[in-house]
Each structure stands twice: as structure tokens, then as C-alpha cells.
Amino acid sequence: MPAAGPLASVLPPVTAPGWATFMTGTLPATHGVFDFFDPCSPDLDKPRLVTRSDVRASEFWDYLSQSGARSAILNVPRAHPQSLFEGLQLPGLMGPGEGQDATPSGALEALAPELGPYRLYTSSP
């Protein structure tokens, strides 16, 4: 039977802490991500983008890996650098290399015959 109800966001209600909350199941006060940029960047004119390394909690795929399960993490923003887990990861938005640093090495080439080239961003013809 379908269910419906109001959906609340995290505070602050922006996507950077929202993605970290999704990945960890914890709130910003625990995982430490409050914005897309590091508020303690030494050069405030060129702030550093927050990465997965700034998240102070384990992602749910880490727990799956510890229990012997494999995961496929596809196009999740700010999930770079990759954590060490069992499975496939194609970096998402704000990750370097347009997915060229997929884990495991060679994953893009193995998927290309079935899925075509990996495109992180769409482009106009």
C-alpha cells in the first residue's frame, strides 16, 4: 500500500549536508558538513570545496562492505575520494575526472559496451 507524508530536510536545508546525511544516516552536527565549501579555508577568496574526506561518519556502503555485501555507488555528489568498500563506484557531481577515476580501475571500460560512454554532465548537441 502506498504511503505519503511530509518530507523534512536537514538543517541547513541545502544539498551538501543533505547528501552527507543521506550517505551516513547522521545529521550535520555529527557528520560535519554544513555547506559546499570549507568555512575554514585559508584563502576565503578561493574557498576549498568540501569532499568525502571532510565527512566525519561512515557511509552506509561501508557498513554493507563490512558485512560482506557489495555495493554500486553511481553518481553520488561529493563521494570523492572513494572510500575502501567492496563494489563499484562511479564518482558524481563535484568529483574529478568526469568519472575517469572510477573504482575498481577499468570499470568504465567494462560497462561501456552495454551502457555507452559515461557522462557525468549532459551536453547540448
Side-chain angles (χ1 to χ4, degrees), residues 1-55:
M1 167 161 259
L7 181 62
S9 183
V10 296
L11 291 175
V14 294
T15 55
W19 277 106
T21 296
F22 158 76
M23 295 186 307
T24 65
T26 63
L27 294 173
T30 300
H31 62 62
V33 176
F34 296 92
D35 197 351
F36 284 103
F37 298 99
D38 178 3
C40 299
S41 293
D43 184 352
L44 294 180
D45 290 329
K46 296 179 186 176
R48 183 184 65 81
L49 277 173
V50 171
T51 69
R52 191 203 141 275
S53 299
D54 296 299
V55 178

Side-chain angles (χ1 to χ4, degrees), residues 31-92:
H31 62 62
V33 176
F34 296 92
D35 197 351
F36 284 103
F37 298 99
D38 178 3
C40 299
S41 293
D43 184 352
L44 294 180
D45 290 329
K46 296 179 186 176
R48 183 184 65 81
L49 277 173
V50 171
T51 69
R52 191 203 141 275
S53 299
D54 296 299
V55 178
R56 298 186 312 233
S58 295
E59 289 93 353
F60 68 85
W61 49 82
D62 293 326
Y63 295 108
L64 291 170
S65 184
Q66 290 170 9
S67 69
R70 293 175 51 94
S71 302
I73 310 304
L74 308 175
N75 204 13
V76 174
R78 295 180 324 91
H80 184 84
Q82 292 94 339
S83 57
L84 299 175
F85 70 95
E86 286 294 320
L88 166 72
Q89 184 171 17
L90 300 181

